Amino acid sequence: MANHYCLDPFDPYTQSEVLVVFDGSYPALRLLSVIDKDEADILAELVDEQRRDLIREIGAFHRPDLAAA
């Protein structure tokens, strides 16, 4: 398992971060939990597009060549 801080999908001002715990490597990442600033796991509240955004954000960090895509 690994973890990465990403932008909070529920923060419209992109000022907060969430801690994403995941398994695997890009593009086959599996999100295990998404912990918000209140230490709550919000993974179940995320829609598919928000989950994909987190996976892309992690991929762009770990594989900088993806950030240009």
Side-chain angles (χ1 to χ4, degrees):
M1 284 189 293
N3 57 47
H4 183 81
Y5 283 97
C6 294
L7 295 174
D8 185 340
F10 294 128
D11 180 5
Y13 302 107
T14 63
Q15 297 174 338
S16 298
E17 292 183 327
V18 293
L19 176 64
V20 180
V21 179
F22 63 94
D23 193 22
S25 59
Y26 187 85
L29 291 178
R30 184 171 61 102
L31 302 180
L32 302 175
S33 62
V34 179
I35 309 300
D36 69 5
K37 67 180 184 305
D38 298 322
E39 298 182 8
D41 188 352
I42 61 169
L43 179 60
E45 300 170 29
L46 300 177
V47 297
D48 289 339
E49 187 59 33
Q50 290 170 315
R51 292 172 188 228
R52 284 190 294 269
D53 286 345
L54 291 173
I55 290 170
R56 282 190 292 266
E57 187 174 340
I58 293 167
F61 180 81
H62 291 282
R63 294 206 32 214
D65 58 310
L66 297 174

